Amino acid sequence: RKFKALTMSTINKTSLHPTSFFLLGIPGLETAHIWISIPFCLVYIMAVLGNSILLFIIKSDQSLHEPMYLFLSMLSVADLILTTTTLPKILSLFWFNDREISFDACLTQMYFIHSLSTMESGFILAMAFDRYVAICNPLRHSTILTHSVIGSLGLAIVFRGAVLLSPHPFLLRWLPYCRTTIISHTYCEFMALIKLVCAPTRIRKAYSLIVAFLTGGMDFILIMCSYVLILRVVFNMPSNDARLKTLGTCGSHVWVILAFYTPAFFSFLTHRFGHHIAPHVHIFVANIYLLIPPMVNPIIYGIKTKRIREKFLKVFIRDRVLLLFQTKTTREI
């Protein structure tokens, strides 16, 4: 009842340039928000812990300072920032009914979500390039992907995401919002905001579509091309053992690609073309896109990569057990 009253009052008091918006959450599932928050909170904790542990392991082990793991650490940093930008506000909405978000905070959150997602896509592409060079040109792998080249690629990916998405807040800032100030979403994002505008938005939508294609779309195409070339080399190998061993080095990366691009493309397409899809389905998938990849990336590499797995067991399990044993022995003495 309180929210219905709030809804009516905000509609009546809507101005052309509002000072704040109100997040609806997951439409149709408002009564279940408190239950939905439980898996969301668990996934957030796992994402923060998993990526923090992964960064610690890669930083502390010199043998993991290789291109694939350096790009993976960049992806983990982007994952940490992205989840921290969105999940605390979502959980606050679910737990405390804290729906209000200031206009500037909304634009800032939107910018971080889209720019960091673009960076994540770039880091996944860089990891595909590393696999391509390692398999198709192994003798030159260390000379092509030096630390300076890796650093330059990382900076270029960050620069691309930061610059190409920087017009988005300005494209939306001075538009008239005369329909409503209620966003039918759990967080602020470009398409959800532009639906509230009562002015021509064709050019802004076109720019958003072009940027999405030039970043995520082109990244995915280049990733597919790299794997076509990798498969061509693999199938020309003389033995099945060599083929399986080589493909095994790509397994973790393939799972990361699927975890990132599947919900991303579904969310992107339903926003623009899926007008008949139930709103709660779309919002749920959009949240999965933000939640699941940051959680599963460290799990995938932790399980599939022997060196990361062994380092984790050594640092966080064996050393703890040894410390407990030594403490117990000391007390007994």
Side-chain angles (χ1 to χ4, degrees):
R1 290 179 181 176
K2 288 181 179 178
F3 183 65
K4 286 183 179 178
L6 176 65
T7 300
M8 294 304 296
S9 65
T10 52
I11 291 172
N12 293 333
K13 295 177 182 178
T14 298
S15 63
L16 293 180
H17 301 289
T19 56
S20 61
F21 289 108
F22 295 89
L23 296 164
L24 184 62
I26 302 177
L29 298 176
E30 289 89 350
T31 55
H33 277 175
I34 193 69
W35 298 107
I36 296 170
S37 71
I38 296 171
F40 274 50
C41 183
L42 291 174
V43 169
Y44 177 52
I45 292 169
M46 289 175 67
V48 172
L49 286 176
N51 284 288
S52 299
I53 291 170
L54 188 63
L55 285 169
F56 173 78
I57 289 172
I58 293 172
K59 184 179 183 298
S60 60
D61 191 342
Q62 288 290 330
S63 67
L64 292 174
H65 291 186
E66 297 176 1
M68 173 59 81
Y69 303 113
L70 293 175
F71 288 131
L72 178 60
S73 64
M74 296 176 194
L75 179 63
S76 290
V77 171
D79 283 341
L80 281 171
I81 299 172
L82 180 61
T83 52
T84 305
T85 301
T86 53
L87 261 297
K89 180 61 182 177
I90 293 173
L91 292 175
S92 177
L93 187 157
F94 288 165
W95 289 340
F96 311 113
N97 205 32
D98 180 20
R99 301 176 185 274
E100 187 173 4
I101 183 169
S102 70
F103 186 61
D104 290 333
C106 190
L107 292 181
T108 303
Q109 186 186 61
M110 178 205 67
Y111 171 72
F112 274 108
I113 288 170
H114 292 300
S115 62
L116 287 165
S117 298
T118 300
M119 292 175 201
E120 287 178 329
S121 179
F123 293 135
I124 293 172
L125 172 61
M127 292 162 77
F129 178 65
D130 168 72
R131 290 300 85 205
Y132 164 75
V133 176
I135 293 169
C136 299
N137 204 347
L139 297 178
R140 296 189 60 199
H141 182 251
S142 59
T143 56
I144 292 173
L145 286 170
T146 61
H147 280 195
S148 60
V149 170
I150 293 165
S152 298
L153 281 173
L155 286 173
I157 291 166
V158 171
F159 183 78
R160 181 190 71 163
V163 171
L164 286 180
L165 277 300
S166 60
H168 273 46
F170 299 101
L171 289 173
L172 294 174
R173 184 169 188 83
W174 306 114
L175 289 173
Y177 295 86
C178 56
R179 290 177 180 169
T180 180
T181 54
I182 299 169
I183 301 172
S184 297
H185 215 303
T186 53
Y187 56 84
C188 296
E189 58 100 33
F190 185 82
M191 289 304 297
L193 278 170
I194 210 162
K195 287 178 181 178
L196 309 181
V197 174
C198 52
T201 56
R202 184 175 296 177
I203 294 174
R204 291 167 174 83
K205 287 181 179 178
Y207 178 78
S208 175
L209 197 63
I210 291 167
V211 169
F213 175 75
L214 291 177
T215 54
M218 284 301 297
D219 289 350
F220 184 74
I221 291 170
L222 291 172
I223 289 168
M224 291 300 102
C225 290
S226 69
Y227 271 96
V228 168
L229 296 172
I230 287 170
L231 289 173
R232 191 177 70 174
V233 170
V234 168
F235 288 126
N236 286 329
M237 289 180 174
S239 67
N240 283 330
D241 289 341
R243 292 172 191 168
L244 291 173
K245 186 177 180 181
T246 305
L247 286 174
T249 63
C250 302
S252 300
H253 186 240
V254 170
W255 282 111
V256 168
I257 292 168
L258 292 173
F260 180 80
Y261 283 104
T262 303
F265 282 134
F266 184 86
S267 180
F268 176 80
L269 292 172
T270 52
H271 244 318
R272 285 160 175 80
F273 312 110
H275 303 296
H276 301 295
I277 295 175
H280 68 271
V281 174
H282 167 70
I283 304 302
F284 225 97
V285 173
N287 281 279
I288 288 172
Y289 167 57
L290 289 185
L291 281 167
I292 300 302
M295 181 194 74
V296 300
N297 290 346
I299 294 173
I300 290 169
Y301 275 91
I303 292 171
K304 299 283 288 183
T305 307
K306 185 180 179 181
R307 280 188 288 174
I308 291 178
R309 186 170 64 248
E310 288 178 346
K311 184 70 175 178
F312 173 79
L313 292 172
K314 182 179 183 298
V315 173
F316 292 98
I317 297 179
R318 292 174 193 169
D319 287 0
R320 296 289 184 275
V321 171
L322 182 62
L323 181 63
L324 287 171
F325 177 76
Q326 289 174 344
T327 305
K328 185 178 180 182
T329 306
T330 304
R331 286 176 179 175
E332 288 176 354
I333 293 172

